[in-house]
Amino acid sequence: MFDLLNEIWQTMRTNKLRTILTGIAVAWGIFMLIVLLGLAKGVRTGFESSPMGNTRNVIQLWAGNTSMPFNGLKEGRSISLRERDMKALRHDIKENVSDVSGILEGSNVVMRSDSTHISSTYSGVFPVMRDEEQLKMTHGRFISDRDVSQCEKVVVLEERNATTLYGSPDRAVGRLLDINGIAFKVIGVYKHNWFNSVFIPYSVAKAISGFSDTLGTIRVKVEGMSTMDEAQEIEKEIRRSVGRTESFHPDDSSAIWIWNRFANYLSNQTAMSVLNWVMWAIGLLTLITGIVGVSNIMFVSVRERTHEIGIRRAIGARPRYILIQIILEGVVITTLFGYIGIVLGTVAGELMAHAFADTMFVKDPRVDVGLAVQVTALLVVAGALAGLFPAMRALKIRPVEALRTE
């Protein structure tokens, strides 16, 4: 084996320029494959770790208007979501629903600190809101069950509002905030990519609204969904349950508006899979260009060494030895330059990870061990294929005809 590898090395040194130029094409193909797959992985990881990916088991409901008559009632009626709808959902869909909560949206109010004020709306929520929306608490705590049950006048602010009102988020916790003449204690500050809401306990928001039970949003936390059919079926069950309570047809899709995050998640997963396959296809097509180049120089090498191959065959070299030598030559060239491409692709992945560190759309586009193993196996197979056809041609050379070749 050592002698065989030494012969391959001598052949590569003899055709140094041709080998390097062809190897660059292989390295470039592997480099592009690594970079493209790293980007696809980064996009997929970014989505999975985003609030949208982490809250895929939440279904949100909003009020709408009926589009068809039902039980003698005309279409065009305005439907409101109420607390009784939350109770109905808990009662009717016991198998999949793990939690049902509501949000009471407050009107635009003035919120004053000691030194400044802002104009904003508030949302009366339950403690589950924090987990369902992946709110990252940077200071203090979120609203608790006790705050809701005891009707505590406490408030949770987003970092930007806390900075505007108190100068910095860490100075906000424990301070008082005047919301339309009612003093609230700031108990926490959170950070979120797009939420900027001011949160107070649901019970307090209900008292402010005159104990109205009309909700702006109902949130249903569902467990056990794994397919699109199950996601669509749970939507139908939700529509039937609320339809019985609010008297509209269960097939009336505009009576209430439903955002099924799990269905959106599955659609995005399909898009991520398509993106991954597209990246593989583009990378492989780029790599094939380099592999064809390797195969071409192997054909040239076989033609140039026709006399040498004839002598070896004449003195008793087995066809298998000739076959293995040429195939190994293709594998060595492809693997050697392919690993250069892997190293450069890994470096590019680190640079991309640094460049996209502050973005939520691409996260950790580095090459993992699994991808490196796949690319290594691909290199070996590609190298073997690159040398196989020239090797088959070499075996067809007759020793007598080869010896006549100059």
Side-chain angles (χ1 to χ4, degrees):
M1 178 60 72
F2 179 78
D3 293 337
L4 185 59
L5 291 175
N6 187 55
E7 291 180 14
I8 293 172
W9 175 248
Q10 293 301 325
T11 302
M12 292 172 61
R13 290 187 61 186
T14 303
N15 304 284
K16 188 184 302 180
L17 180 60
R18 186 170 61 195
T19 301
I20 291 175
L21 291 176
T22 306
I24 288 175
V26 175
W28 175 254
I30 289 295
F31 172 79
M32 289 302 299
L33 180 62
I34 293 292
V35 169
L36 291 173
L37 292 179
L39 280 173
K41 171 182 173 287
V43 172
R44 185 172 60 252
T45 304
F47 172 72
E48 292 284 352
S49 60
S50 69
M52 185 64 67
N54 288 325
T55 60
R56 55 183 175 267
N57 61 339
V58 175
I59 298 176
Q60 290 186 230
L61 286 66
W62 292 275
N65 295 293
T66 60
S67 61
M68 60 178 66
F70 181 70
N71 285 348
L73 300 173
K74 295 182 179 181
E75 69 274 13
R77 291 178 297 117
S78 177
I79 300 297
S80 298
L81 296 176
R82 305 178 186 278
E83 287 186 357
R84 64 190 183 191
D85 298 318
M86 292 196 298
K87 296 177 182 178
L89 288 167
R90 294 191 189 100
H91 178 269
D92 295 340
I93 318 177
K94 295 179 179 179
E95 184 176 348
N96 298 96
V97 173
S98 61
D99 198 358
V100 180
S101 62
I103 299 178
L104 270 173
E105 303 289 352
S107 58
N108 195 59
V109 295
V110 176
M111 304 181 184
R112 300 180 183 275
S113 63
D114 293 337
S115 57
T116 187
H117 69 275
I118 62 173
S119 179
S120 179
T121 59
Y122 61 85
S123 298
V125 299
F126 291 91
V128 71
M129 182 72 177
R130 175 186 175 181
D131 294 330
E132 288 182 351
E133 289 300 341
Q134 297 289 295
L135 302 178
K136 181 181 179 181
M137 300 302 299
T138 58
H139 300 85
R141 63 175 178 86
F142 196 67
I143 293 166
S144 67
D145 290 322
R146 182 180 180 279
D147 294 329
V148 176
S149 62
Q150 298 294 325
C151 206
E152 297 285 350
K153 291 189 285 294
V154 293
V155 62
V156 176
L157 302 174
E158 200 273 334
E159 278 192 344
R160 287 161 290 186
N161 285 334
T163 301
T164 300
L165 290 167
Y166 300 101
S168 64
D170 57 316
R171 295 174 57 189
V173 178
R175 304 285 290 276
L176 294 179
L177 178 64
D178 184 307
I179 301 179
N180 267 22
I182 304 175
F184 283 78
K185 182 180 179 181
V186 179
I187 59 170
V189 177
Y190 72 92
K191 182 179 181 180
H192 199 272
N193 289 318
W194 58 77
F195 265 118
N196 193 30
S197 299
V198 175
F199 295 120
I200 65 175
Y202 175 85
S203 55
V204 178
K206 184 177 179 179
I208 293 175
S209 67
F211 295 95
S212 169
D213 66 345
T214 301
L215 305 173
T217 306
I218 290 180
R219 303 164 62 85
V220 183
K221 190 174 182 180
V222 183
E223 307 293 344
M225 290 188 298
S226 59
T227 65
M228 185 64 76
D229 289 339
E230 291 175 348
Q232 292 173 349
E233 182 59 33
I234 197 68
E235 275 192 38
K236 293 179 182 178
E237 292 185 28
I238 289 173
R239 209 176 291 280
R240 283 194 294 265
S241 176
V242 179
R244 281 193 295 268
T245 307
E246 300 299 334
S247 299
F248 62 82
H249 197 283
D251 296 330
D252 191 346
S253 59
S254 67
I256 57 171
W257 298 101
I258 297 179
W259 179 22
N260 192 332
R261 294 191 182 183
F262 185 75
N264 289 354
Y265 171 79
L266 291 180
S267 298
N268 286 324
Q269 283 291 88
T270 301
M272 295 297 134
S273 298
V274 171
L275 175 64
N276 191 58
W277 282 111
V278 168
M279 293 302 189
W280 265 106
I282 296 174
L284 288 176
L285 288 174
T286 307
L287 178 61
I288 286 172
T289 304
I291 300 303
V292 170
V294 173
S295 187
N296 284 337
I297 69 165
M298 296 302 298
F299 273 113
V300 173
S301 178
V302 168
R303 186 170 62 249
E304 291 177 347
R305 293 155 58 192
T306 300
H307 189 73
E308 174 192 337
I309 293 172
I311 293 174
R312 291 188 177 188
R313 294 287 302 277
I315 63 177
R318 295 180 179 180
R320 184 178 65 178
Y321 182 87
I322 304 295
L323 181 70
I324 291 175
Q325 179 183 0
I326 296 175
I327 290 177
L328 272 181
E329 191 171 330
V331 171
V332 169
I333 294 174
T334 305
T335 304
L336 175 62
F337 287 95
Y339 270 113
I340 294 175
I342 289 178
V343 172
L344 294 176
T346 302
V347 173
E350 293 293 334
L351 294 176
M352 288 190 298
H354 179 73
F356 293 113
D358 297 328
T359 67
M360 60 176 293
F361 302 106
V362 179
K363 186 174 182 180
D364 192 22
R366 297 181 179 90
V367 178
D368 55 22
V369 176
L371 180 58
V373 171
Q374 291 176 12
V375 173
T376 302
L378 179 64
L379 283 174
V380 174
V381 173
L385 290 175
L388 177 61
F389 298 105
M392 297 299 292
R393 184 179 185 277
L395 293 181
K396 293 179 181 179
I397 299 174
R398 295 181 180 181
V400 175
E401 295 177 357
L403 290 172
R404 294 175 183 170
T405 304
E406 296 297 334

